[in-house]
Amino acid sequence: MIHSLFLINCSGEMFLECDYFFEAQEKATDVENVPPVISTPHHYLISIYRDKIFFVSVIQTEVPPLFVIEFLHRVADTFQDYFGECSETAIKDNVVIVYELLEEMLDNGFPLATESNILKELIKPPTILRSVVNSITGSSNMGETLPTGQLSNIPWRRAVVKYTNNEAYFDVIEEIDAIIDKSGSTVFAEIQGVNHGKPSCAIGQINNPRLLDDVSFHPCIRFKRWESERVLSFIPPDGNFRLISYRVSSQNLVAIPVYVKHIISFKENSSSGRFDVTIGPKQNMGKTVEGVIVTVHMPKAVLNMNLTSTQGSYTFDPVLKVITWDVGKITPQKLPNLKGTVNLQAGAPKPEENPSLNIQFKIQQLAISGLKVNRLDMYGEKYKPFKGVKYITKAGKFQVRT
Amino acid sequence: MSASPAYGEEKGGSGLGEPEYGHDPASGGIFSSDYKRHDDLKEMLDSNKDSLKLEAMKRIVAMIARGKNASDLFPAVVKNVACKNIEVKKLVYVYLVRYAEEQQDLALLSISTFQRGLKDPNQLIRASALRVLSSIRVPIIVPIMMLAIKEAASDMSPYVRKTAAHAIPKLYSLDSDQKDQLIEVIEKLLSDKTTLVAGSVVMAFEEVCPERIDLIHKNYRKLCNLLIDVEEWGQVVIINMLTRYARTQFLSPNQNESLLEENPEKAFYGSEEEDAKEDKPDAASLVKRKPYVMDPDHRLLLRNTKPLLQSRNAAVVMAVAQLYFHLAPKAEVGVIAKALVRLLRSHSEVQYVVLQNVATMSIKRRGMFEPYLKSFYIRSTDPTQIKILKLEVLTNLANETNISTILREFQTYIRSMDKDFVAATIQAIGRCATNIGKVRDTCLNGLVQLLSNRDELVVAESVVVIKKLLQMQPSQHSEIIKHMAKLTDNIQVPMARASILWLIGEYCEHVPKMAPDVLRKMAKSFTGEEDIVKLQVINLAAKLYLTNSKQSKLLTQYVLNLAKYDQNYDIRDRARFIRQLIVPTEKSGVLNKYAKKLFLAQKPAPILESSFKDRDHFQLGSLSHLLNTKAVGYQELPDWPDEAPDPSVRNVEVPEWTKCTSREKRKEKVEKPFYSDSEGESGPTESADSEPESVSESESESGSGSSSSSGSGSDSGSQGAESGDRSEERRKKKKGKEGPRKAFLDTAGSNPSEEEEEEQGKKGKRKKKPQHEGKGDSGSSWEEGSVSESSSSESDSGSEAEESQSEPESKRRPTPPSSKAAPKATRKGTKEISLLDLDDYRETEARGREGTCPRSPSRPVAELGILGLPEATARVTTAPPQPASSPSVVSTSLVTDLEGLSLTDTSLASTLLSPTFSAVRTHELLHRMAGEGLSVEYCFSRQPFVPDPHMVAVHIQFSNSAEAEVKGLRVCAPRLLPGIRLQEFPEIESLAPGDTASVVMGIDFSDSTQAANFQLCTHSRQFYVSIQPPVGELLAPVFMSENEFKKEQGKLTGMSEITEKLTLPDQCQSDQAIVQRVMVAANVSRVPCGADHVYRFAAKTVTSGSLVLITLERKDGARAQLTVNSEKMVIGTMLVQDVVQALAP
């Protein structure tokens, strides 16, 4: 189950053994259930689980646990950023860079440089091209100049940056979290601003700031202006970043763009059951719902499924008991449907719980909360940069109870 | 990579490098393969191609990552520390930090590189040099680190200052004796105005001196204002620190509200006498209390942290949330709920921590999270630990209005596949039912339905919960009890069976017909049951015997007989007990009469409580809170003070950055200990002498306020302990499964109620008086205090011990019967000098005669030993004390004195210097026993070594006390550390028994105090020996004038200057004695000097010829200041220590 154990202690050393952790791991039935904080007689182990790797840090004295967890996630993010994936092989292949990175990120157990663009200036990420060039010219991966960002108050941006094309893109991505229980629903939405560009100053205006219930900002946003004028004013970082995230509270009615009809039942004493799921769009403001995937965790007693789908394809994993139904685009004319029979283990009692359906979908060009970026102005540059705003609505943790 | 083929080729030809090791007889065959394996790496590191070095370093780092030991490559790697290639350099740093602690001597070689780096014009290089230097955990460089930190703390670049702040905890962890000096640095850095530094220095503050809250006063407003621009990790640290600070400096914003709030609580707990008593002082204090006005600084903190709730960093959000929870007025705490709920969308680990904290908060402030109830709904995909925490929160939030939705939600959960979660849900339903009377029946019915669930675990858990609920109102529910009695046939989970049996026994009068039948069945299966079930069977039997002896007498006898021979002694004991208690015999005592009372007393229902109750006495968001135990290094969150300390301490003279200039600027008070600062009613102008009074007043007040509570607390504590014991016994007698509380009810009515009362009283008090919350708190804080005290006393005693150690040593050293030459020389010297300055020298003469026994040079060596070179100490202790070298020393001092008369005659100097050898301290190189009759001693003759001026001359004296002749005495196979060279002495062909021979050999120690290891070979044997120089012997005297000295000293300031304060002992008050002692400690020459009480000495290091200048300045009294200027900081620091030692009494 566990591919590798990656132990990082506070001073940035790595070592590969930690009995207490293994013990806790064995005890937990599921990888997700390993407690993030483990207390041992002399140390405290704080771990996170990302992409099949445990990042474990060893703590000796009192420290806010979130501080460590947040940092470990930042480390994982950095690896992801550098190696494209945060897998065991990637890390093993790049042990030296991992060491160099950790050396920069931690000083005596205290986070030092965690901003990805500073790190990239210090240690260039490996690419095939660069390794070829390095082997020919003998140059190294290490930045020759020392980073300037660390010295300034805006560590997310390098001091002098020049690009050939000037563009700023904003993606407004809203995710709908919902639990649908016949009628009741809980809804959140979240936006991720993904900016790609380099103006020295930008201001974004949002049509209806009162909509936003709770907002969290990238440190680049000038909070004072938001407070007073409800305007987002910021010096954007290089590369992709999350500008703000917000929640639209469940008090505001959130339109759920899809509906599901389902009949999942098991017959008493007959080791078979019925499975019938239909999914359809509700009101979608003229946009199509695409990328629909339905996953269902079936009860343990289920042996096999015998289904036919009118659209898309389905797979059933008999070990994990998971059905994945890749529906694709929903057209209102012909509603996708998946139905058939369920084979249960002979003699096993009827499962009591009906499984819940997890649904993923995507709607392009729509922010379901009605949020719009009204204006995007840039200052401090003479040229006229290219600006673009894209809206996507996605399903977040979207669950339908049956 | 291009490097790999090259490496392959080299490996083929690597035979050349090998023989060096192959021939070494000591290394043997076993290790040779090891050497071979790393040889290629060494060669690559030695090459001048950066790419090869890089490749080698990469492989070494990969080795470390795989957990292999790469420490034997240390010398080869360290050489590259000065490499130009930045990547190689970085990797060398990684390596160095990892291994320096193991290989301290070698690590010292790299230090000069870092020292150079510290002076680099580029701030980033300065910073990184300091970073690595401070990461090398070698105790000997502590003074260097200290200096470097001090220097960097006043660097122009904020980035370097930030690095200095980072280095502080590192140095502290290496040597906690530096605390005072470090606090000075912290104080300095705290006043820094840049955001870059703030976070790091507060982190250092928290690690080094969190108790010195007084350092924060002046910087408080600045920190508040800078906060939003500090980097996120720093924000977390600062916010946590400010929370603690605010708790000591401001008044509780909720004091009035909390008083109002209490009343309903009290009413709830009903008419207890204690309560009435408690009320009076409270009411009194309410009257006394002024209307609360929030301190503007308190408001400043709250205002400036609020925006950080929007941070993207979960740790920052949590930090602000806990700050608000602990500091904000009740009405304002609500703002944090939103942000915390937002964090629930984050990674599951973050969720876990946040939910733990939300669970605690939701007990205290339920209303805060109620609007977000739905955010805590559980998804089937959540990990179990998250589900259980969410359940906890939902349960805490349940109240009469929302209970129906919550219960509906719970219904869904009960059907989950995750059985642990289902069990937790059932518990949660039980808790809701106890807390909210309205839904008790609904819950109970629901749970009873669950009894027919197919899953046994669900049923078992329900039984346990139902049992607890039924205890509240048993009479109405005989139907349920009957239903449960029927379940005994099916349920196998022991806990559930035990619960059912207990219920039937307890309420057997409600089910008079079924109970004996159940007992019959259980008696049948008794032997096969689990222990807890057996115990309950015995309980059931006893209770039935008492109520319905007709039907159950025989059954009881039977069960008791079975239990008598049970394997478990608890069961046997219980059976014996009960038999004595209930079956009337002649012997059975008085208790028999009360058996019925004992067993069938009314037992109070258990209280189902959240496990998060009262966790808020730990600072939220902390590790201790999460674990619910005090973690190492946890700083207790202090209670609010009763009286606000003087707010004017936070005033700063130039409040350019503050907005709250409106506050009247009072004159700054200079560093008052803040505990004694109490504003009182009369304000800050109050005279100082009234302060202690007010303190004591407040203390006494708090004492009286809590006196009743603490009194009762301690009472209850002791009683609790007592009652615990008693109840233990009684439980055995009573078989009351539900624990001690019930057991009490029989003996006296007062007793149990008292206990209960106390418990509730405690609860009540906690709510009433948050400031006196938990006697445990104050207790532990006291504890902490005492701990720190004891530790300080420990350290005191430690230093004392050291002193005492050194004292006898000095006493032991025989005050040498000053050899005849000495007084003569002294007299001569004094005579000549006294011509110049009579007054001064008469004194010195007298002193010099009586007390100034010249110290033997053993001290510096011993000192080195302490510093981690154990060989030296060993040798010193074994060496016999030598008669001291007074004549020579005096004569050299004389020379310098003559120099003072500007008689700079080198020939005179050399002639006078030459006789030093005879009297210099000798060290043993080889003991007679170890050398089989051959004993070898050596001494540093302080003469120039003629063949090579860069070598230190070492006189070696052989004496043969064996029977046989020793032939072919020579040096062979030196195994020297890099940089050290050795000039062998000519072979001694033979040494007859009883003969002695002396030779001179030269060793270039490369300006380090590392030992030169070599072997002495004779025709038959080899002996491993090593010579280790005291730092003073690495020098050669240099003669210079005062002006030259000052000029050179001017060049060697800053990092190269090491200053130390010392106190001169009585016997060192004279000039002569001082000069003498310094000259014994080090091979230096005195520089003439016009000023009184200033002594200057100059020397250069033997190998590199860098200047070493010593200045000793006597201040008034016995105080003096020693300054050593040298480029070689290691030498400088060690020399300072040696000289200080030499001048110590």
Side-chain angles (χ1 to χ4, degrees), chain B residues 376-416:
Chain B
F376 300 102
Y377 280 6
I378 294 157
R379 285 161 218 277
S380 59
T381 42
D382 286 333
T384 310
Q385 50 188 358
I386 300 286
K387 284 181 186 163
I388 288 173
L389 283 170
K390 281 187 174 173
L391 206 54
E392 177 72 38
V393 176
L394 285 176
T395 316
N396 289 340
L397 294 181
N399 60 16
E400 298 218 345
T401 49
N402 60 22
I403 185 70
S404 56
T405 46
I406 289 181
L407 281 182
R408 203 180 311 134
E409 191 66 19
F410 282 176
Q411 267 171 15
T412 331
Y413 303 159
I414 282 172
R415 285 168 32 215
S416 164

Side-chain angles (χ1 to χ4, degrees), chain A residues 115 117 153-157 170 193-195 197 199-204 216-226 231-244, chain B residues 228-232 235 308 310-313:
Chain A
E115 214 51 66
N117 86 69
N153 282 340
I154 36 173
W156 52 89
R157 196 178 168 84
F170 284 86
V194 182
N195 174 302
S200 69
C201 176
I203 287 186
S216 93
F217 295 123
H218 189 274
C220 69
I221 291 188
R222 293 185 188 112
F223 188 73
K224 293 253 161 64
R225 283 204 72 177
W226 167 258
V231 160
L232 297 173
S233 157
F234 53 93
I235 299 171
D238 301 318
N240 292 345
F241 69 102
R242 176 182 287 215
L243 185 62
I244 76 171
Chain B
I228 197 154
D229 293 322
V230 175
E231 40 93 32
E232 25 190 27
Q235 285 172 346
L308 294 176
Q310 254 91 27
S311 171
R312 63 171 172 170
N313 188 321

Side-chain angles (χ1 to χ4, degrees), chain B residues 21 27 31-40 42 975:
Chain B
Y21 296 101
S27 60
F31 302 105
S32 59
S33 64
D34 224 24
Y35 276 114
K36 255 182 224 162
R37 192 152 47 90
H38 291 325
D39 263 356
D40 47 284
K42 279 186 190 159
R975 291 184 60 183

Side-chain angles (χ1 to χ4, degrees), chain A residues 39-57:
Chain A
S39 171
T40 75
H42 302 290
H43 299 94
Y44 308 99
L45 306 179
I46 298 185
S47 63
I48 62 160
Y49 180 70
R50 280 274 292 260
D51 303 321
K52 294 183 182 161
I53 299 175
F54 280 100
F55 290 72
V56 182
S57 67

Side-chain angles (χ1 to χ4, degrees), chain B residues 240-466:
Chain B
N240 280 323
M241 188 275 291
L242 289 178
T243 310
R244 247 181 39 239
Y245 177 86
R247 269 294 181 99
T248 62
Q249 300 300 310
F250 308 127
L251 292 176
S252 165
N254 296 322
Q255 43 184 299
N256 297 336
E257 292 157 45
S258 63
L259 272 177
L260 294 174
E261 183 193 16
E262 274 150 35
N263 296 330
E265 294 271 357
K266 254 178 217 163
F268 178 76
Y269 287 116
S271 56
E272 283 159 27
E273 288 173 53
E274 220 185 312
D275 244 1
K277 278 179 221 155
E278 285 265 319
D279 267 336
K280 281 168 198 165
D282 264 353
S285 64
L286 184 64
V287 174
K288 254 202 288 183
R289 220 167 261 166
K290 299 175 290 183
Y292 173 75
V293 181
M294 190 185 269
D295 189 301
D297 286 329
H298 191 172
R299 174 53 65 200
L300 177 77
L301 176 62
L302 292 176
R303 196 177 53 225
N304 282 358
T305 47
K306 194 175 172 189
L308 294 176
L309 281 174
Q310 254 91 27
S311 171
R312 63 171 172 170
N313 188 321
V316 177
V317 176
M318 190 65 232
V320 179
Q322 66 84 22
L323 182 132
Y324 262 74
F325 183 77
H326 289 299
L327 299 182
K330 214 177 156 199
E332 293 172 44
V333 179
V335 294
I336 63 176
K338 240 185 223 178
L340 288 176
V341 170
R342 189 185 70 234
L343 294 185
L344 293 182
R345 262 209 62 129
S346 189
H347 302 282
S348 79
E349 296 87 10
V350 176
Q351 279 185 46
Y352 176 78
V353 178
V354 171
L355 281 171
Q356 294 254 0
N357 288 294
V358 170
T360 306
M361 290 182 191
S362 60
I363 290 176
K364 251 295 171 54
R365 307 223 189 285
R366 181 187 296 160
M368 199 164 99
F369 290 99
E370 237 183 279
Y372 306 98
L373 185 72
K374 286 182 179 172
S375 307
F376 300 102
Y377 280 6
I378 294 157
R379 285 161 218 277
S380 59
T381 42
D382 286 333
T384 310
Q385 50 188 358
I386 300 286
K387 284 181 186 163
I388 288 173
L389 283 170
K390 281 187 174 173
L391 206 54
E392 177 72 38
V393 176
L394 285 176
T395 316
N396 289 340
L397 294 181
N399 60 16
E400 298 218 345
T401 49
N402 60 22
I403 185 70
S404 56
T405 46
I406 289 181
L407 281 182
R408 203 180 311 134
E409 191 66 19
F410 282 176
Q411 267 171 15
T412 331
Y413 303 159
I414 282 172
R415 285 168 32 215
S416 164
M417 283 182 276
D418 185 344
K419 290 306 163 205
D420 291 339
F421 170 51
V422 174
T425 310
I426 294 170
Q427 292 280 2
I429 294 174
R431 266 181 56 203
C432 288
T434 42
N435 295 340
I436 302 161
K438 199 181 83 176
V439 292
R440 196 168 296 153
D441 287 345
T442 330
C443 290
L444 203 51
N445 286 334
L447 289 172
V448 170
Q449 276 171 28
L450 282 178
L451 289 178
S452 50
N453 194 293
R454 199 178 291 114
D455 193 284
E456 197 178 68
L457 280 168
V458 174
V459 179
E461 198 67 41
S462 316
V463 168
V464 176
V465 174
I466 289 174

